[in-house]
Amino acid sequence: MNNLIKKFFYGDYGEIEEGASTSQDDQWPLWEIFIRSKQGLDHKHVGSLHAADAKMAIENARDVYTRRQEGISIWVVESKNITASNPDEAGELFEPAQDKIYRHPTFYHLPEKVNHM
Amino acid sequence: MSTSKNSVSKENKINYILYLADTTLILSHRNSEWCGHAPIIEQDIALTNIALDLLGQARNFYQYAAELIGNNATEDSLAYLRIENEYKNLLLTELPNDDWGNTVLRQFYFSVYQFYLYQQLQKSDDEQLVAIANKAIKEVSYHVRWSGEWVVRLGDGTKESHQRMLNAIENLKNYLGEMFIAADYETAMNIDLNTIQKQWDEKVTSVFAEATLPLPKNIFNHIGGKTGVHTEYLGYILTEMQYLQRTYPNAVW
C-alpha cells in the first residue's frame, strides 16, 4: 500500500471500485471529442466517450453530443494520443507569466484610424 | 407508385397508414426496452435515439390516420386503446430483443426495408405521406448505417460474436418474408414490394459479405402481423405499453 495517493491525469479513467475488475482489456478505449458549431470557427473540446474505433467514436459522438444541433463537424482523438502537462509542474510552466502583464496588448496605443479592435 | 387519390379507398389507406404506424411503434417499444441495459452507455444512447426516431415517425402516422378516421380518434386512442388483433405491425418487430446481436440484426433488416419503402412513399401522390417520408428517410439512412456497422463488427468480430450473429440469423429468418408479402391494403396502395425486395436483397447481401455471414437458408415465412394475427409476444407488449392509459383513462402529461 505504498501508493496511497494516486494521481490522475487528463484522459485517465476514474477511480476503480474495490473488487471491480482492474483490467482495462475489457474496456473500449477512451476518445476525446471536439465539435464545431454552426457559427463556430474552431472545434471545441466537449467531452470524452468510449468506442471500439474511430468510426464508432464519431457515431457515438453524434448521438451523445450533437442531439440538440450542437454541431456540424466532429473530430475524435484517442485520449492516449494526448500528452497533458503535469499539474505538479504548473509552477514552473505558468507562474513566470504572472508578473509580466506588459505582455498583454493593452499597453499599445492604437492609432485613431484603427477601429473595432 | 402511380396511385391517384381516387383509386385508393379510404379504408385501405387508413389500414396502410396504421400498418406503418404500428410497425414503427412496436419496434420503437422493443428498442426502448434496452434503455439502461445496453452493453455500454454510448450505445444505450444510440439505440434509444433510434427508438425515439421511430416513435416520432409512429406519431406522424397515427396523427394522419386519426385525421382520416375522424370520429374523435387521436394518436393516443390509436396507440393505447386498440387490441392485439387490431394491430397491424410486422411480426418481426414484436419478437423479443434477445441479445445485442439479435437486436441490431433485426434493426438492420428493418431499416433497410424501411429505407426503400420510404423512397417509394416519397413519390406517392399523397402529400402527407410524402412529407413524413421526406423527414424520416434521413433518420432511417442513419439507422441503416449504424445497424449495418454493428452487423459487420459482430459478424467479422470474435468467434463468440460471429456465433451470436449466426444464432440471430436463424432466429429471425422466418420473419423476413412478411415484409414483402402484400396485405390487401398494400396491394391497393400500389406499393411495389418486388422492387423493395430486390433492393433489400442486394443491400443485405453486400453487408453480409463484408460481415462474413451466410444469408439465411431454409426459410418458412410466418405471416399474419399485417392483418392482426400476431405471435404471443404482442399481448405482453401491449399490456405494458397500454397499462397507464387503460388504468387511468384519459390521463395526460
Side-chain angles (χ1 to χ4, degrees):
Chain A
M1 297 293 281
N2 297 330
N3 211 0
L4 281 176
I5 299 168
K6 183 158 174 20
K7 280 181 200 145
F8 285 96
F9 295 108
Y10 191 72
D12 280 355
Y13 294 84
E15 199 82 48
I16 291 159
E17 276 178 46
E18 197 77 37
S21 159
T22 51
S23 157
Q24 300 278 311
D25 295 345
D26 56 356
Q27 286 267 18
W28 286 339
L30 193 66
W31 296 76
E32 300 303 323
I33 311 301
F34 301 83
I35 305 274
R36 183 158 71 81
S37 67
K38 207 168 188 176
Q39 282 84 26
L41 298 171
D42 48 3
H43 288 71
K44 291 216 164 59
H45 184 242
V46 292
S48 54
L49 49 74
H50 294 98
D53 54 30
K55 204 170 178 185
M56 193 197 276
I58 296 252
E59 296 188 355
N60 286 352
R62 178 257 192 198
D63 283 327
V64 176
Y65 293 113
T66 66
R67 296 184 64 212
R68 298 174 189 85
Q69 300 179 299
E70 291 92 338
I72 52 163
S73 170
I74 301 172
W75 285 353
V76 300
V77 180
E78 204 177 336
S79 307
K80 69 175 187 195
N81 292 325
I82 292 181
T83 310
S85 61
N86 185 337
D88 286 349
E89 294 164 358
E92 59 203 79
L93 286 175
F94 308 116
E95 276 169 29
Q98 276 176 9
D99 57 355
K100 299 180 177 64
I101 52 165
Y102 50 82
R103 288 178 180 172
H104 288 276
T106 47
F107 287 84
Y108 296 91
H109 295 286
L110 288 176
E112 276 180 17
K113 282 181 182 170
V114 182
N115 293 322
H116 309 300
M117 275 197 76
Chain B
M1 268 169 80
S2 55
T3 331
S4 89
K5 271 172 194 153
N6 303 324
S7 68
V8 183
S9 75
K10 195 171 166 186
E11 193 191 347
N12 280 329
K13 184 175 261 188
I14 290 169
N15 282 334
Y16 184 66
I17 295 165
L18 285 176
Y19 157 67
L20 297 172
D22 293 342
T23 297
T24 41
L25 177 67
I26 296 300
L27 187 56
S28 168
H29 186 83
R30 275 298 188 212
N31 285 341
S32 76
E33 291 173 354
W34 272 104
C35 186
H37 300 279
I40 191 160
I41 190 165
E42 289 83 354
Q43 293 303 325
D44 199 302
I45 295 171
L47 190 54
T48 308
N49 259 342
I50 291 177
L52 286 171
D53 285 346
L54 293 175
L55 186 64
Q57 294 171 21
R59 286 192 61 190
N60 287 331
F61 289 128
Y62 281 128
Q63 284 164 0
Y64 185 32
E67 194 186 309
L68 293 176
I69 293 168
N71 236 344
N72 296 327
T74 65
E75 52 177 325
D76 286 339
S77 72
L78 293 175
Y80 291 129
L81 300 177
R82 286 184 308 141
I83 58 174
E84 282 152 277
N85 62 18
E86 292 172 293
Y87 262 76
K88 296 172 178 39
N89 59 284
L90 291 170
L91 300 177
L92 178 70
T93 61
E94 70 199 43
L95 297 179
N97 287 330
D98 209 314
D99 62 13
W100 183 257
N102 196 75
T103 303
V104 296
L105 182 61
R106 186 237 313 260
Q107 187 63 50
F108 175 66
Y109 283 150
F110 179 73
S111 293
V112 174
Y113 165 73
Q114 212 184 19
F115 180 81
Y116 294 119
L117 176 62
Y118 284 178
Q119 270 191 346
Q120 288 200 14
L121 290 185
Q122 284 182 308
K123 292 177 216 139
S124 156
D125 58 9
D126 183 307
E127 281 172 26
Q128 195 64 35
L129 286 179
V130 171
I132 297 172
N134 280 341
K135 178 173 174 286
I137 200 156
K138 285 180 202 139
E139 298 168 349
V140 175
S141 309
Y142 185 75
H143 303 168
V144 171
R145 170 179 160 163
W146 179 88
S147 57
E149 276 174 19
W150 267 109
V151 170
V152 173
R153 217 175 266 288
L154 296 177
D156 192 20
T158 64
K159 210 173 149 195
E160 167 83 13
S161 71
H162 185 79
Q163 183 56 48
R164 283 180 181 241
M165 290 312 280
L166 294 180
N167 299 347
I169 291 170
E170 201 58 24
N171 273 346
L172 301 172
K173 70 175 187 182
N174 294 336
Y175 298 92
L176 305 174
E178 190 187 13
M179 294 190 282
F180 310 110
I181 299 170
D184 291 346
Y185 53 77
E186 269 175 301
T187 312
M189 290 291 290
N190 283 328
I191 303 289
D192 182 2
L193 288 175
N194 286 334
T195 302
I196 297 178
Q197 184 163 21
K198 242 177 259 159
Q199 294 167 317
W200 185 91
D201 277 344
E202 238 167 67
K203 176 73 180 173
V204 170
T205 304
S206 83
V207 170
F208 271 35
E210 202 187 332
T212 68
L213 291 170
L215 292 167
K217 276 193 295 267
N218 305 322
I219 292 171
F220 171 84
N221 288 325
H222 289 296
I223 56 168
K226 288 176 175 178
T227 49
V229 183
H230 290 279
T231 68
E232 60 191 311
Y233 302 115
L234 184 65
Y236 291 95
I237 296 178
L238 296 186
T239 304
E240 187 180 351
M241 202 175 76
Q242 299 181 335
Y243 171 82
L244 196 130
Q245 198 53 236
R246 290 198 187 272
T247 310
Y248 304 99
N250 304 320
V252 288
W253 285 104

